[in-house]
Amino acid sequence: EMKNYIIIGLCIVIVLAAAPFVIIAKMRVTRSDSTRIHLIPDMDSQPKFKAQSQNLLFADKRAMRPRIPGTAARGEWYANPIIHDGTVSGEWALRIPGKITPELIQEGRKHYDVYCAPCHGLAGFGEGVIAQRAERLEEGTWTPPTSLHSETVLQRPAGHVFNTITNGIRNMPAYGQQIRPEDRWAIVAYIKALQRSQNASIDDVPPEYRDALKRQQ
């Protein structure tokens, strides 16, 4: 008789132990209007206002707030697309917008030294400290940065270079979130000056300095 009680007790324990799994399996395939029970809710259930709903916090009681005058949504281009995406009528801009001044080029150099030089090098030949270390490690997974003086890069219009800084290219990451559009254009100006300095001819030297330069050669 005691043995029967033990068997009955074990059956009850087995049934009770299996019950949670049966309930869970049933709830996974059952539709309900009630919110599911979350032991660790994280951010699955949080207070919020739905579209077109009322919010008494504001004087007009609208949860959907109107746009603040003078602002633009993230990722929304302003009236002049050349400044923000480097294009003119759907084509890469050939020139840098605005006036190119020594101050602009020096500003571009400052940002270039921070964001570009670690890979491309101070002279732009792709010999930056990161590139040099990667080559020493010889891991076989490193893609060398492109020389800014290569024929391919020299032929790229200013808008293309701006877009490369903004969105990245191949293994190069995007810097659009770290660098303001005007500073990206300043970098483009400095890169163009850097390219000119390494690919210049005697005709690029002002006439009053040519004789002195020839005597130094």
Side-chain angles (χ1 to χ4, degrees), residues 112-149:
Y112 175 92
D113 289 349
V114 172
Y115 296 101
C116 311
C119 284
H120 289 283
L122 293 174
F125 288 99
E127 79 293 5
V129 291
I130 293 178
Q132 293 180 33
R133 182 175 185 275
E135 291 176 358
R136 287 197 302 268
L137 292 176
E138 297 182 348
E139 294 180 341
T141 58
W142 171 252
T143 301
T146 302
S147 170
L148 301 179
H149 306 287

Side-chain angles (χ1 to χ4, degrees), residues 29 62 70 101 204 214:
V29 297
R62 292 165 48 182
T101 62
D204 295 314
K214 289 178 180 180

Side-chain angles (χ1 to χ4, degrees), residues 18 28 50 80 85 89 101 109 115-116 121-125 149 174 189-190 206:
R28 287 181 63 87
K50 294 184 177 180
N80 189 353
D85 66 2
S89 302
T101 62
R109 178 179 183 176
Y115 296 101
C116 311
L122 293 174
F125 288 99
H149 306 287
Y190 178 69

Side-chain angles (χ1 to χ4, degrees), residues 6 21-22 40 43-44 50 54 66 81 100 135 151 154 172 181 185 198 212 216:
I6 294 175
F21 298 100
V22 174
I40 304 177
M43 296 181 67
D44 293 336
K50 294 184 177 180
Q54 186 182 58
I100 300 177
E135 291 176 358
E151 191 63 29
L154 287 173
M172 173 182 162
W185 278 117
Q198 300 298 314
Q216 294 176 5

Side-chain angles (χ1 to χ4, degrees), residues 7-29:
I7 294 174
I8 294 173
L10 288 174
C11 291
I12 293 174
V13 171
I14 293 173
V15 171
L16 292 177
F21 298 100
V22 174
I23 295 173
I24 292 173
K26 178 179 181 300
M27 295 303 295
R28 287 181 63 87
V29 297

Side-chain angles (χ1 to χ4, degrees), residues 9-216:
L10 288 174
C11 291
I12 293 174
V13 171
I14 293 173
V15 171
L16 292 177
F21 298 100
V22 174
I23 295 173
I24 292 173
K26 178 179 181 300
M27 295 303 295
R28 287 181 63 87
V29 297
T30 302
R31 293 183 177 275
S32 173
D33 294 333
S34 302
T35 303
R36 297 185 184 276
I37 298 174
H38 289 191
L39 298 179
I40 304 177
D42 293 327
M43 296 181 67
D44 293 336
S45 182
Q46 56 182 305
K48 61 181 179 296
F49 290 97
K50 294 184 177 180
Q52 308 298 338
S53 63
Q54 186 182 58
N55 185 349
L56 301 180
L57 178 65
F58 300 102
D60 59 7
K61 300 180 176 59
R62 292 165 48 182
M64 298 175 62
R65 307 310 305 151
R67 175 180 292 183
I68 300 174
T71 63
R74 179 175 180 147
E76 181 180 86
W77 302 130
Y78 293 176
N80 189 353
I82 183 177
I83 298 177
H84 296 273
D85 66 2
T87 62
V88 176
S89 302
E91 301 291 336
W92 294 125
L94 300 179
R95 300 177 60 84
I96 297 170
K99 185 179 180 180
I100 300 177
T101 62
E103 292 76 18
L104 177 70
I105 294 176
Q106 287 301 321
E107 184 70 16
R109 178 179 183 176
K110 180 179 70 175
H111 293 288
Y112 175 92
D113 289 349
V114 172
Y115 296 101
C116 311
C119 284
H120 289 283
L122 293 174
F125 288 99
E127 79 293 5
V129 291
I130 293 178
Q132 293 180 33
R133 182 175 185 275
E135 291 176 358
R136 287 197 302 268
L137 292 176
E138 297 182 348
E139 294 180 341
T141 58
W142 171 252
T143 301
T146 302
S147 170
L148 301 179
H149 306 287
S150 66
E151 191 63 29
T152 300
V153 180
L154 287 173
Q155 292 179 355
R156 287 174 180 167
H160 190 295
V161 179
F162 176 86
N163 178 74
T164 298
I165 300 171
T166 304
N167 300 307
I169 187 171
R170 292 186 294 278
N171 288 359
M172 173 182 162
Y175 288 96
Q177 298 300 321
Q178 294 98 313
I179 311 174
R180 300 181 305 170
E182 53 267 37
D183 293 332
R184 276 175 262 154
W185 278 117
I187 293 175
V188 176
Y190 178 69
I191 289 175
K192 292 298 183 182
L194 196 62
Q195 292 172 334
R196 187 71 174 268
S197 71
Q198 300 298 314
N199 296 275
S201 66
I202 191 65
D203 295 332
D204 295 314
V205 179
E208 60 270 24
Y209 297 108
R210 292 178 187 176
D211 291 339
L213 183 62
K214 289 178 180 180
R215 288 195 296 268
Q216 294 176 5

